[in-house]
Amino acid sequence: MKICIVRSDRMGDMVLTLPVIQGIKQKNPQAIIHVVTSQKNLKICKQFNLIDKIYEKTTSSSAFSNLTKLISAEKYDYYFSFSPGWYGLLLGFFSKSKFKSSLILKSRYKSNVFSKFWQIIFSKIFFSISLVINRFQSLETKENIHQTIMMMDVVSKSKLTISENIKTEFTFTNVFTLKKDEPNKFICVIHLSSKWINNYYSEDDFEDLLRSLKDKNISIYLTSDETTKNKFSKIFNIYPVIDNPNNLHENTENILICNNFDFENWTSLINQANYVITPESGCTHIASLTKCKLAVIYDADNSPNSIRQEYAPWNKEYLAFETNDKELNQKLLNFI
């Protein structure tokens, strides 16, 4: 049996799809699973040994044409389009899969009869199963709309057996080992996303948090992304910046900025951390695959309860905070 899964969007979405792949494999050990993924998710897929083949999504028309030929030639038994938008639907249309299924999510912010209207019509005509979720309505009626649960529901409705209550078996490979100057010294990774800074929380508030953390006997590694320097110019002027992981051991400061680490080095840091503190982002879901204690901060202005319900780390204990919490710093200090 051959299966194709399209998950060509964000890192967190891909991590939340891993339990679906594992659940299918547990019930169907002989299944061959291929994944169409985005460039960001490619490295996650490469480290998950239950995926048999990976296709990378590219945006050019010629690349899409070539991919449709490759997908068509595979003649899958099952095809699942889990990513939003037209890409997975059109790829499925050109595939020669025996059974095609899609997941279409309507807006979580408002009720709109015409939301995803043409995608729904297209999917109802050309796909065997089209699961349309009105997220706004489902949240009001307190239905479970966790991303992983919804994808598993699509698989079940497609008459393909799947194990549902599982924990993702994923192991990161550490490309370096952090050296501790004291055997029992804890490691904390804090992800410097721009999502920290908002109407409720400033860079000065974040600096207060770091000053308080200095009193604890821990090593703090601040990791960056493409949004970091726009919001944390002061922090970058105060603390040492490490651009090369090989230089981590040359600096004895308790707080270091790990700037622009590539995926392998970034995940190696997270994988060795005792604590991870991050706004809701891809870092949340990478950390959920490790043994760390996890704290996730949700944007109070972006439906935090609904975001949490839909994107909560899968089968991982964690603490949830919101940006408008006036005691956020103290609660984070208590977390560690």
Side-chain angles (χ1 to χ4, degrees):
M1 177 169 56
K2 294 176 73 175
I3 300 167
C4 181
I5 294 175
V6 178
R7 190 81 260 194
S8 55
D9 37 9
R10 299 175 300 176
M11 192 181 300
D13 298 297
M14 187 66 243
V15 173
L16 292 176
T17 307
L18 300 182
V20 180
I21 296 171
Q22 185 173 323
I24 292 173
K25 281 278 194 176
Q26 281 191 5
K27 289 291 187 179
N28 309 273
Q30 304 305 316
I32 297 170
I33 297 182
H34 296 177
V35 174
V36 179
T37 183
S38 63
Q39 186 178 27
K40 281 189 175 181
N41 295 334
L42 190 64
K43 292 179 180 178
I44 297 174
C45 293
K46 284 183 176 179
Q47 293 193 39
F48 194 55
N49 58 14
L50 296 182
I51 298 175
D52 298 287
K53 186 183 288 188
I54 305 165
Y55 295 103
E56 182 182 351
K57 173 187 175 181
T58 51
T59 55
S60 71
S61 57
S62 60
F64 181 78
S65 177
N66 290 334
L67 183 56
T68 58
K69 292 176 183 176
L70 292 172
I71 295 297
S72 178
E74 293 286 356
K75 296 181 180 179
Y76 294 107
D77 297 289
Y78 293 91
Y79 176 97
F80 295 103
S81 175
F82 288 145
S83 293
W86 282 98
Y87 189 89
L89 295 177
L90 292 174
L91 193 61
F93 172 76
F94 289 110
S95 76
K96 295 181 179 178
S97 306
K98 296 177 182 177
F99 203 97
K100 292 178 279 192
S101 304
S102 68
L103 174 63
I104 298 178
L105 305 177
K106 302 184 76 171
S107 173
R108 74 170 69 90
Y109 301 107
K110 60 183 180 180
S111 181
N112 185 348
V113 176
F114 298 104
S115 174
K116 305 290 180 69
F117 178 79
W118 291 112
Q119 292 182 30
I120 293 169
I121 295 298
F122 182 91
S123 184
K124 293 287 187 182
I125 294 173
F126 296 109
F127 279 62
S128 312
I129 293 290
S130 181
L131 181 60
V132 179
I133 304 294
N134 185 329
R135 288 183 290 179
F136 183 83
Q137 179 179 312
S138 296
L139 287 165
E140 285 196 331
T141 56
K142 301 186 184 306
E143 296 175 39
N144 191 338
I145 61 163
H146 190 278
Q147 282 278 325
T148 304
I149 293 293
M150 290 189 291
M151 287 184 281
M152 287 182 170
D153 195 19
V154 174
V155 173
S156 296
K157 289 181 183 301
S158 303
K159 307 302 181 184
L160 183 60
T161 54
I162 182 172
S163 296
E164 296 185 358
N165 189 24
I166 59 176
K167 182 172 177 61
T168 310
E169 296 173 4
F170 192 101
T171 303
F172 286 108
T173 300
N174 293 334
V175 295
F176 65 85
T177 302
L178 291 170
K179 294 180 182 178
K180 299 181 182 180
D181 51 8
E182 300 174 30
N184 296 322
K185 194 169 187 177
F186 288 143
I187 295 168
C188 177
V189 168
I190 303 178
H191 188 52
L192 289 180
S193 164
S194 63
K195 293 179 181 180
W196 277 98
I197 311 302
N198 47 67
N199 293 329
Y200 314 103
Y201 197 91
S202 67
E203 186 179 12
D204 288 335
D205 292 322
F206 188 80
E207 170 56 13
D208 289 341
L209 173 64
L210 293 183
R211 279 199 298 267
S212 299
L213 286 172
K214 271 189 172 181
D215 297 333
K216 292 179 176 282
N217 187 31
I218 58 176
S219 296
I220 300 170
Y221 297 95
L222 308 176
T223 61
S224 67
D225 60 25
E226 63 274 7
T227 70
T228 302
K229 281 193 175 181
N230 295 331
K231 298 291 185 179
F232 292 97
S233 56
K234 181 179 178 181
I235 299 300
F236 269 74
N237 287 329
I238 296 174
Y239 298 101
V241 178
I242 306 297
D243 294 303
N244 187 338
N246 295 327
N247 298 332
L248 279 173
H249 306 308
E250 297 176 5
N251 198 304
T252 57
E253 295 289 331
N254 270 1
I255 300 179
L256 297 175
I257 300 174
C258 302
N259 189 42
N260 292 327
F261 278 22
D262 63 21
F263 183 82
E264 288 78 10
N265 288 302
W266 179 57
T267 55
S268 294
L269 266 179
I270 295 172
N271 196 41
Q272 296 176 71
N274 303 97
Y275 303 93
V276 172
I277 301 173
T278 177
E280 204 286 325
S281 63
C283 184
T284 302
H285 300 285
I286 293 296
S288 75
L289 298 174
T290 74
K291 296 179 180 180
C292 74
K293 292 184 178 179
L294 176 61
V296 183
I297 302 165
Y298 291 87
D299 183 351
D301 289 333
N302 185 31
S303 302
N305 291 330
S306 61
I307 295 294
R308 186 179 176 188
Q309 287 183 52
E310 192 172 344
Y311 292 101
W314 178 255
N315 280 355
K316 168 78 174 181
E317 291 186 9
Y318 72 105
L319 290 181
F321 303 104
E322 293 184 20
T323 54
N324 63 349
D325 189 338
K326 294 181 179 180
E327 298 181 358
L328 179 57
N329 277 2
Q330 185 56 54
K331 289 181 179 179
L332 291 174
L333 290 171
N334 294 340
F335 164 71
I336 298 177

